[in-house]
Amino acid sequence: MKFRFIPVMMLAAGLATSCANEEVVEVNTDPTGSAISFSPKVGRATKATETTISNLGNFAVVARGVHPHGDVYSNFLIGSETGGEVAKRPTNVSSTTGVWTLDHNVLWPSSIDNMLFWAYTASNNLSDENKGNLLGGATFSFTDNTPKISGFQPKKADLTKEGESYYFDGANQEDLMFAFTSQKRTESASNVSLNFQHALTQILIDAKSAEKTDGDHRIVKIKGAWIVNAKDKGDLAGDFKWDNSKKEATSDPDWTASFSSNDITAYGSFYKNEQLLDDATKTIDLLKSSSNQEPSLMLIPQDFEAWNADASEEDIVKNTNGVYIMLLCRVELRHEGSNHTGDDGANDDVFIDEPNKMHYHQQFPVNKENKYDATEYGFVCVPITAPETTVDGDKVKGWQMGTKYKYTLDICGAASGAGIYPPDFDENIYKKLLPSDYKDYLTIGTRPTATDADGNPIKKVGYPVLDSEIKFTVSVKDWVEWKPGNENGNENGNENAR
């Protein structure tokens, strides 16, 4: 399965040729010669951790020469088979331009007309002085003369920090960038233009209650949202080819994604102060952020299947068997009235807000005593399917590199409910979702254990928690790619509802 840029391919690297054992023996040692430097451009994004020229930090560079006869040398002019040399960010970077330099001069070899340059970074920390790899735990290598980033994992928030009001995995994630260029010797060849491309997928999650009627008084309070069971570890290998007759390099990179453990994976947000979805709410961002930028997750491109809520009990407990969006929420019914009539009573499932003359009934989660408990929230989910897109006439399935996917959930709208029951979790799973001090202010409601006359559960895993499931739409948009002659970026991404 190829996970490709849409529509711009990311170029990656490296193939040994018949001159694989030749060495670059003629090196330009002219002290007046110009040392090689780098002028990067970056495809723009929105936010998990956005990388632009303005905040692009150091990056690593690997370079090889091409023999005049056309074969690629096996040795490295810059870097090595285990990683690149660091090109350092200058102090005078503008919003569109800047020249990065190595900490020592590397001159263009006198016997080489063509050079191949690879660059990579997952760091946008401007104070980063790391002189090793810039991949945050992943590694770069030339294995069998193919460049490869191995063991990349999107980061998560530290849930052990007590007292935090907000935990967002995306704020900790880095925008993995990769660039490749083939450059011919010219009078100005000492400055190499690198067009960095986004190697990851960007995910956003919104919620709304669509087309509610005036008589529908349901409100939803949400404390968390996650993508569950997405593969969380990946290798990005470059399929580099050098055409000796055309003196051109082509590439088609390929992600291989896997699970780092046999447990569930979960990427998203948790916040102590709930987000309210009610009559007056148009759309809320479930990956809430304190910044003005649109927050998102940066995940590994991958194909996947939707979680099968109709599977057998044995298959359902295999938590990595399918992807879904999960919410931690509660549903209440709010209506006006200073008094309350009926069998439930003021101390049962209703809270009376006397000053505002409002009543609040707890509809989900359902507890044994049918009591109103403002601290009680429950997990609900909606399975999601992998999107399909046509690229260069071919249909590709799954999250693609350099592409943004926005999932908009319709919760308690005119034709939607509050989702379905996910697998039953235990404390070990909660550690991946909730902060370590959650019991101080939060109660997790569980699936009701009531049975019918035959002793079968009334509410099973995969059943709607209310009257129907959550509906959702998916919009797809390419990240903006820089192109020569378009210094401000090209904003011709497309957006398609799914």
Side-chain angles (χ1 to χ4, degrees):
M1 174 65 65
K2 299 285 186 182
F3 297 100
R4 300 178 292 180
F5 280 112
I6 305 173
V8 180
M9 294 297 193
M10 181 186 74
L11 292 177
L15 182 69
T17 65
S18 59
C19 288
N21 295 320
E22 295 188 39
E23 298 294 331
V24 179
V25 293
E26 295 182 47
V27 178
N28 185 352
T29 57
D30 183 354
T32 64
S34 298
I36 294 174
S37 60
F38 304 93
S39 294
K41 297 291 181 182
V42 177
R44 294 186 298 165
T46 52
K47 179 74 177 175
T49 304
E50 178 185 354
T51 301
T52 65
I53 290 296
S54 298
N55 68 357
L56 178 67
N58 300 340
F59 54 82
V61 180
V62 173
R64 279 178 163 178
V66 179
H67 191 276
H69 295 164
D71 296 327
V72 180
Y73 284 104
S74 63
N75 69 318
F76 297 84
L77 186 67
I78 301 174
S80 69
E81 62 183 9
T82 59
E85 296 183 34
V86 176
K88 292 186 176 180
R89 174 188 171 87
T91 58
N92 59 340
V93 177
S94 73
S95 61
T96 57
T97 61
V99 177
W100 274 243
T101 57
L102 304 173
D103 60 5
H104 64 98
N105 288 347
V106 176
L107 306 182
W108 195 284
S110 59
S111 63
I112 291 178
D113 293 327
N114 291 277
M115 290 278 288
L116 307 176
F117 297 88
W118 298 266
Y120 59 89
T121 183
S123 172
N124 65 352
N125 184 352
L126 300 186
S127 62
D128 187 3
E129 296 297 331
N130 181 9
K131 294 184 179 181
N133 81 74
L134 300 175
L135 295 176
T139 59
F140 178 89
S141 64
F142 269 84
T143 303
D144 296 328
N145 293 304
T146 297
K148 187 176 185 180
I149 293 174
S150 302
F152 182 86
Q153 287 188 258
K155 294 181 180 179
K156 287 187 59 65
D158 183 0
L159 297 175
T160 64
K161 289 185 177 180
E162 297 185 4
E164 298 287 328
S165 62
Y166 176 57
Y167 301 81
F168 175 37
D169 293 332
N172 299 272
Q173 293 172 351
E174 294 153 328
D175 188 1
L176 177 61
M177 309 291 291
F178 203 98
F180 168 76
T181 190
S182 172
Q183 184 155 321
K184 297 179 181 296
R185 175 197 294 277
T186 64
E187 292 182 359
S188 60
S190 58
N191 186 257
V192 178
S193 179
L194 291 172
N195 186 12
F196 278 94
Q197 310 291 338
H198 302 281
L200 298 176
T201 290
Q202 192 175 175
I203 302 292
L204 303 95
I205 308 175
D206 288 349
K208 64 180 180 179
S209 294
E211 300 176 356
K212 291 183 69 170
T213 63
D214 293 339
D216 188 345
H217 301 302
R218 292 175 297 177
I219 63 174
V220 185
K221 297 178 179 179
I222 303 173
K223 277 191 175 291
W226 299 267
I227 294 279
V228 180
N229 290 341
K231 298 180 181 69
D232 64 339
K233 188 174 184 179
D235 300 337
L236 177 61
D239 182 17
F240 172 78
K241 293 180 176 61
W242 173 262
D243 189 320
N244 202 23
S245 61
K246 296 181 180 180
K247 301 297 186 291
E248 291 180 354
T250 58
S251 176
D252 187 7
D254 187 9
W255 272 102
T256 302
S258 61
F259 290 102
S260 62
S261 69
N262 293 324
D263 215 336
I264 73 165
T265 67
Y267 287 104
S269 292
F270 173 87
Y271 20 89
K272 287 185 179 179
N273 298 322
E274 75 276 356
Q275 297 193 68
L276 178 63
L277 192 61
D278 64 4
D279 299 341
T281 308
K282 292 183 178 180
T283 302
I284 59 175
D285 186 349
L286 296 183
L287 301 180
K288 183 180 176 183
S289 174
S290 59
S291 70
N292 293 324
Q293 292 177 303
E294 190 176 40
S296 63
L297 299 168
M298 293 285 192
L299 303 183
I300 296 171
Q302 59 191 271
D303 189 11
F304 58 87
E305 300 296 330
W307 178 62
N308 183 7
D310 297 323
S312 67
E313 195 76 21
E314 180 180 357
D315 288 337
I316 281 178
V317 298
K318 297 176 182 177
N319 292 321
T320 55
N321 190 22
V323 175
Y324 53 92
I325 294 176
M326 185 165 67
L327 307 179
L328 180 61
C329 66
R330 62 183 280 116
V331 181
E332 298 177 357
L333 187 65
R334 179 179 62 187
H335 64 88
E336 297 179 352
S338 56
N339 296 310
H340 197 275
T341 59
D343 296 333
D344 44 15
N347 296 318
D348 198 2
D349 74 331
V350 69
F351 167 74
I352 300 178
D353 180 4
E354 288 289 1
N356 297 310
K357 297 182 179 181
M358 296 294 293
H359 287 178
Y360 293 84
H361 297 258
Q362 180 171 319
Q363 290 195 308
F364 173 82
V366 178
N367 54 53
K368 293 180 180 179
E369 294 80 18
N370 289 323
K371 297 289 186 181
Y372 183 95
D373 182 354
T375 69
E376 189 174 30
Y377 286 73
F379 288 110
V380 301
C381 74
V382 52
I384 58 174
T385 57
E388 292 188 359
T389 313
T390 300
V391 181
D392 297 333
D394 297 328
K395 283 189 175 181
V396 292
K397 183 171 175 283
W399 294 331
Q400 305 298 320
M401 289 187 284
T403 305
K404 176 172 63 178
Y405 301 87
K406 178 183 285 188
Y407 292 86
T408 302
L409 308 180
D410 180 5
I411 309 172
C412 291
S416 63
I420 61 178
Y421 282 103
D424 294 330
F425 298 138
D426 58 23
E427 289 291 333
N428 291 326
I429 300 299
Y430 290 164
K431 292 178 181 178
K432 289 199 171 186
L433 303 168
L434 307 175
S436 54
D437 63 348
Y438 79 91
K439 290 184 179 179
D440 294 342
Y441 52 85
L442 182 65
T443 302
I444 303 298
T446 58
R447 182 166 52 89
T449 57
T451 58
D452 59 20
D454 297 324
N456 299 314
I458 296 176
K459 290 290 188 180
K460 295 182 180 181
V461 170
Y463 277 29
V465 300
L466 294 179
D467 52 351
S468 57
E469 302 177 7
I470 293 174
K471 294 184 177 181
F472 71 94
T473 58
V474 184
S475 60
V476 181
K477 189 174 183 180
D478 300 332
W479 293 359
V480 179
E481 304 291 347
W482 177 88
K483 293 182 179 180
N486 185 9
E487 303 302 326
N488 295 319
N490 170 16
E491 299 195 10
N492 293 325
N494 55 52
E495 190 159 348
N496 303 304
R498 298 194 180 281

